[in-house]
């Protein structure tokens, strides 16, 4: 009877938690990637703007 309860616990909570964590992890990864892209674009825009402003000197 103890084994049966343990099997129910692991099957009831195991897969659903993994799916939730997988989705959360994937979303976090996508957000991180987008933030990195925005950071790079912002740095490039800043460099180009500085070259434009200081290019007349």
């Amino acid at each position: 009877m103890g084994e049966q309860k343990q099997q129910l616990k692991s099957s009831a909570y195991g897969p659903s938690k993994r799916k939730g964590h997988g989705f959360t992890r994937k979303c976090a990864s996508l957000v991180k990637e987008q933030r990195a892209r925005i950071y790079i674009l912002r740095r490039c825009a800043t460099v180009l703007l500085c070259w434009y402003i200081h290019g007349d000197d």
Side-chain angles (χ1 to χ4, degrees):
M1 182 124 174
E3 285 179 36
Q4 194 176 23
K5 280 186 181 181
Q6 190 176 8
Q7 285 177 351
L8 288 175
K9 265 189 181 179
S10 64
S11 65
Y13 296 111
S16 63
K17 270 193 171 183
R18 273 195 198 123
K19 284 183 183 179
H21 286 308
F23 179 73
T24 304
R25 192 174 298 130
K26 188 172 183 176
C27 286
S29 175
L30 289 173
V31 168
K32 200 176 203 181
E33 185 178 334
Q34 291 302 318
R35 287 183 69 193
R37 287 181 182 188
I38 290 170
Y39 173 77
I40 291 168
L41 286 173
R42 193 176 72 217
R43 291 291 303 252
C44 290
T46 303
V47 168
L48 289 173
L49 187 61
C50 288
W51 281 351
Y52 179 76
I53 291 171
H54 296 292
D56 295 338
D57 294 346

